[in-house]
Amino acid sequence: MSFKRVLGATAALALIAGAGLAQDTTITIATVNNGDMIRMQGYTDQFTAETGIGVEWVTLEENVLRQRVTTDITTNGGQFDIMTIGMYETPIWGANGWLVPLDGLSEGYDVDDILPAMRGGLSHDGTLYAAPFYGESSMVMYRTDLMEAAGLEMPAAPTWQFIREAAAAMDDPANGINGICLRGKPGWGEGGAFITVTGNSFGARWFDEDWNAQFDQPEWEEALTFFVNLMNDYGPDGYETNGFNENLSLFQQGLCGMWIDATVAASFVTNSNDSEVADSVGFALAPNSEGVDRRSNWLWAWALAIPAGTQQADAAQQFIEWATSRDYIELVAENEGWANVPPGARTSLYENPDYISVPFAQMTLDSILAADPTNPTVDPVPYVGIQFAAIPEFAGIATEVSQEFAAAYAGQQTVEEALARAQDITNEAMEAAGYR
């Protein structure tokens, strides 16, 4: 049954039933300024019409969002009734008792329909603490017209060495086209996430099994040197300040031959209303380095969670059920087409023939299924996580390390100097935290 029919049949009852709660209830939601989250805000009036619950949004750039919600949750600040967080924060905060367990979701919500990778990453000890609005891995997005003009064919599972060859062939400075666009922006979840999965794909790791930093190992030198040379040769000027949104804009303007980033970007680069290259975009798995059995894809979900300090837990859960439901997906599909629904969260979406026929749907699912947070690196590690290590100290350490790497991207220090600083920063922090 469609969302609209459900809404039509139940709106009056919902308004009557919720009247006592709703007329005096407003929830505040902190979220990231990504396209799917902006789209969700456009449908909020329908939630309010159904429940009477008002919604106020605090929409922030990714790094700022992480700072704000982390400060609020750790100080019990109470600024937000719902926070947009991910697979790194959720298990840690859930274990600390900082989040309201989502163990009272309705039967009709069907929590078992959430993709196992997403459900597992947003749980602690089998209890769900955040519901995925969308899930993602990472993949290659590329200009099929430029690839054809270069006389190359993108493999379904390329290597970094092929990516460099293709970037060189498509790079066209005279016409403002960069061979490749990648994240360099500081922040553990921005450029830090990207360089971490790149390191994985060259055989690198953050820590050995005794929590010793590994930035002094040859795999990290190879990975970071490759990345810096690739971007200096064929990337945009100032790439050390570019994150997801900056590269999305460049690709949509036709200024990138390739972009390797979150699978969720596919709907935006193929939307003819926003993208000048919508009709000439192809997709492939994130690359690995030749001879290394790890690809540079990650696993993530932007998810909605309720901080334990809220006074509006019931209203917050109502919103989370609405925004992460199958009915919400159908609402977006009816209004904007299946290509624009939030991806990567529900099994039923990938069983829907209307959705699986979308050009990037299968590659998104394949990328998600290829990601294994329990086995992210070639050599063994003591942590879980692909683009992060799931320990409380990681966010602070990785933000500092990403700043050192960005300085190398900007030419302010050498690769060797950046890695030496990363080694010292990491070991000192881990020793202070009692890991060593």
Side-chain angles (χ1 to χ4, degrees):
M1 182 178 291
S2 75
F3 182 93
K4 290 180 177 177
R5 289 195 293 273
V6 170
L7 182 59
T10 62
L13 290 175
L15 285 169
I16 293 169
L21 165 73
Q23 300 307 315
D24 299 320
T25 301
T26 298
I27 57 174
T28 301
I29 304 175
T31 196
V32 66
N33 64 340
N34 288 353
D36 280 292
M37 317 306 282
I38 301 298
R39 179 180 286 129
M40 175 172 57
Q41 295 176 39
Y43 290 104
T44 303
D45 286 348
Q46 298 205 27
F47 169 76
T48 300
E50 182 183 355
T51 65
I53 299 169
V55 179
E56 293 183 354
W57 292 94
V58 178
T59 306
L60 302 166
E61 185 271 332
E62 186 171 322
N63 286 336
V64 178
L65 172 75
R66 289 192 166 109
Q67 283 183 329
R68 286 279 300 275
V69 299
T70 300
T71 299
D72 193 67
I73 200 82
T74 55
T75 61
N76 198 28
Q79 293 183 58
F80 310 114
D81 302 299
I82 295 175
M83 295 176 167
T84 305
I85 59 176
M87 290 183 166
Y88 168 67
E89 301 95 344
T90 301
I92 296 171
W93 293 2
N96 287 342
W98 295 346
L99 300 175
V100 175
L102 297 181
D103 51 9
L105 296 167
S106 68
E107 184 177 346
Y109 178 79
D110 192 6
V111 70
D112 291 335
D113 186 45
I114 298 174
L115 282 168
M118 301 303 160
R119 192 167 68 244
L122 297 170
S123 298
H124 172 69
D125 281 350
T127 298
L128 189 71
Y129 282 93
F133 181 69
Y134 68 76
E136 66 181 33
S137 183
S138 51
M139 65 182 177
V140 182
M141 293 161 278
Y142 65 95
R143 290 273 300 277
T144 55
D145 55 339
L146 297 182
M147 188 71 71
E148 182 178 355
L152 296 173
E153 183 174 345
M154 175 68 75
T159 64
W160 277 113
Q161 288 69 28
F162 176 85
I163 292 295
R164 181 178 173 86
E165 177 187 354
M170 290 190 286
D171 195 56
D172 186 3
N175 290 301
I177 298 174
N178 304 285
I180 191 164
C181 295
L182 300 173
R183 299 188 194 191
K185 187 175 186 175
W188 72 263
E190 276 278 12
F194 192 87
I195 198 62
T196 293
V197 295
T198 301
N200 294 346
S201 68
F202 278 81
R205 53 184 176 166
W206 266 79
F207 303 102
D208 68 12
E209 292 181 282
D210 295 318
W211 296 104
N212 296 300
Q214 296 295 287
F215 293 106
D216 60 352
Q217 298 302 301
E219 292 85 359
W220 262 116
E221 183 173 3
E222 183 182 5
L224 192 59
T225 299
F226 180 92
F227 178 84
V228 170
N229 289 341
L230 174 67
M231 294 302 290
N232 286 346
D233 291 344
Y234 309 119
D237 291 339
Y239 71 90
E240 68 275 6
T241 64
N242 290 348
F244 175 84
N245 283 325
E246 292 82 5
N247 284 322
L248 171 61
S249 178
L250 287 171
F251 194 92
Q252 287 178 319
Q253 294 175 63
L255 303 180
C256 306
M258 289 177 291
W259 178 31
I260 305 170
D261 212 297
T263 53
V264 74
S267 68
F268 299 103
V269 298
T270 57
N271 186 330
S272 59
N273 293 326
D274 303 312
S275 176
E276 297 176 22
V277 296
D279 295 331
S280 56
V281 182
F283 307 96
L285 289 173
N288 66 306
S289 186
E290 290 178 356
V292 177
D293 184 25
R294 290 295 183 279
R295 309 203 74 80
S296 55
N297 61 308
W298 62 62
L299 187 69
W300 185 253
W302 277 120
L304 304 179
I306 305 171
T310 182
Q311 302 300 308
Q312 310 280 7
D314 290 343
Q317 182 165 303
Q318 285 188 60
F319 182 87
I320 289 176
E321 283 212 31
W322 174 80
T324 64
S325 67
R326 283 190 296 251
D327 287 336
Y328 176 84
I329 291 172
E330 188 172 334
L331 172 66
V332 176
E334 288 178 355
N335 285 277
E336 303 185 44
W338 282 103
N340 295 307
V341 305
R346 286 186 169 268
T347 300
S348 57
L349 182 62
Y350 293 92
E351 295 171 344
N352 185 328
D354 291 325
Y355 185 71
I356 206 66
S357 64
V358 170
F360 52 81
Q362 188 62 53
M363 184 59 71
T364 295
L365 181 61
D366 291 346
S367 298
I368 289 171
L369 295 177
D372 183 0
T374 66
N375 190 29
T377 54
V378 173
D379 294 325
V381 290
Y383 55 86
V384 172
I386 300 177
Q387 75 276 30
F388 58 83
I391 57 173
E393 296 77 14
F394 181 80
I397 296 170
T399 295
E400 285 193 59
V401 168
S402 72
Q403 291 165 348
E404 296 296 338
F405 287 175
Y409 307 156
Q412 297 167 359
Q413 63 182 344
T414 66
V415 165
E416 292 75 18
E417 288 170 337
L419 289 169
R421 291 177 185 272
Q423 181 77 6
D424 291 342
I425 288 167
T426 305
N427 275 338
E428 288 172 9
M430 295 302 283
E431 186 170 348
Y435 285 80
R436 302 173 56 241

